[in-house]
Amino acid sequence: MELAKLRYFYITAKLGHVTRAAEEIHIAQPALTRAIKQLEEELGVPLFYKKGRNIFLTAFGEYLKTKAEGIFSQLDSIDEEIKLLKDEVRNTVKLNVLAASTAVTDAVVAYKKKNPGVEFHLIQNEAESDCDISVTTDTADFSLLPTAQKRVEMEENIYLAVPKSSPYAGRESITLKEVKEEGFVNLAGSRHFRAVCDGFCAHAGFKPHTSFESDSPVAVRNIIGASAGVGFWPEFSWGKVSGDVVLLPIRFPACKRTLLLGKHEKQFPVPAAEDFYEFLIRFLQKRKKKSQNDGTVSFS
């Protein structure tokens, strides 16, 4: 069934008049009549019948009109839907965030204050290849990084967070071996940062005893502040700790990670993605500088 013939039938059925239908379609009346006749022959049923000088739909015609109405309603809306989809795609930045999620979320909030028309879609999936920007670390097995159009590396020290009431709180630095008997407040085991920190402890010769774990860095900070254990805290990507928590540089082993920011090329580039990528770099750089200026001891 040709779509053009179906449309000719539908307009004729809607108007109930061959001459007016031919005028609306901008074809000659005989050509319209011939097209409808061919459609009837193809279907093997009559679609119209004449009564005097007027035409009416048969039961088959009524059925086909109902079906055609749904078809052309969808077809006629495609142009507008494609336009809306195009606008949505052009204004939605897709982020694959496998590290520094707190900092990235803060950056998104700050960016949207100045650019309210830009939307963000945040995911955490190593297997996802369809993203504009990825944030991960040098310790993660992330296959997208080699394909990144742009890539920026930012080194971040990892400190030991201890309660202010802890006997370690007055120290200038510490080794991990000194706290091997302490209970550790950790992120849940599925998070990359947890694996990184477990690796630090393994290098120091022990397996940490977990006293509490959570998916939330805020919860980790609060539990440490409540004197329920010690834990690891990234230099700047999780933000500042509360006043009841002290950060100590770790002398041994060297505890640090490298954040990797990738800008990926897509078939349909999102103009806002390039702008946000540069914004995110500046945001993290300022955050790192501020953490150092606030008095946190840096080390190499």
Side-chain angles (χ1 to χ4, degrees), residues 138-163:
D138 56 343
T139 58
D141 180 17
F142 193 34
S143 60
L144 273 183
L145 286 173
T147 66
Q149 179 186 9
K150 294 182 179 180
R151 172 171 162 167
V152 170
E153 300 183 4
M154 298 182 66
E155 190 173 79
E156 179 175 39
N157 294 316
I158 309 298
Y159 298 102
L160 185 72
V162 301

Side-chain angles (χ1 to χ4, degrees), residues 6 9-10 60-74:
L6 182 60
F9 157 78
Y10 175 65
F60 301 111
E62 289 284 3
Y63 176 81
L64 185 60
K65 179 189 175 187
T66 300
K67 289 294 185 181
E69 192 168 28
I71 292 171
F72 290 118
S73 174
Q74 291 183 1

Side-chain angles (χ1 to χ4, degrees), residues 160 168 174-182 184 206 230:
L160 185 72
Y168 305 112
I174 200 166
T175 65
L176 283 186
K177 192 173 182 179
E178 294 177 77
V179 292
K180 66 178 182 178
E181 302 300 330
E182 301 288 336
F184 277 76
F206 70 95
V230 301

Side-chain angles (χ1 to χ4, degrees), residues 4-54:
K5 291 179 181 177
L6 182 60
R7 186 178 285 277
Y8 292 168
F9 157 78
Y10 175 65
I11 293 174
T12 304
K14 189 169 62 171
L15 296 177
H17 199 283
V18 176
T19 302
R20 290 205 299 270
E23 290 173 352
E24 181 167 321
I25 301 169
H26 303 295
I27 64 171
Q29 182 176 327
L32 174 59
T33 302
R34 187 164 54 250
I36 293 176
K37 184 65 176 176
Q38 291 172 350
L39 183 59
E40 289 179 321
E41 291 174 353
E42 182 181 344
L43 295 174
V45 294
L47 300 173
F48 294 98
Y49 69 91
K50 285 187 178 182
K51 190 174 182 180
R53 301 181 62 182
N54 298 319

Side-chain angles (χ1 to χ4, degrees), residues 111 133 150 152 263 272-285:
Y111 187 83
I133 298 169
K150 294 182 179 180
V152 170
K263 170 66 176 63
E274 180 70 31
D275 187 56
F276 179 73
Y277 180 69
E278 300 298 330
F279 176 88
L280 180 60
I281 294 170
R282 295 193 301 271
F283 184 90
L284 293 178
Q285 288 173 337

Side-chain angles (χ1 to χ4, degrees), residues 29 44 78 80 88-90 111 122 133 139 158 163 175 183 185 191 265 283 285 292:
Q29 182 176 327
I78 285 178
E80 183 62 26
E88 180 182 341
V89 169
R90 287 177 59 83
Y111 187 83
L122 275 67
I133 298 169
T139 58
I158 309 298
T175 65
V185 180
R191 305 290 287 271
E265 188 172 5
F283 184 90
Q285 288 173 337
Q292 295 171 343

Side-chain angles (χ1 to χ4, degrees), residues 15 69 92 163 194 229 287 289 294:
L15 296 177
E69 192 168 28
T92 300
R194 170 64 177 276
R287 194 155 179 162
K289 185 176 181 180
D294 284 345

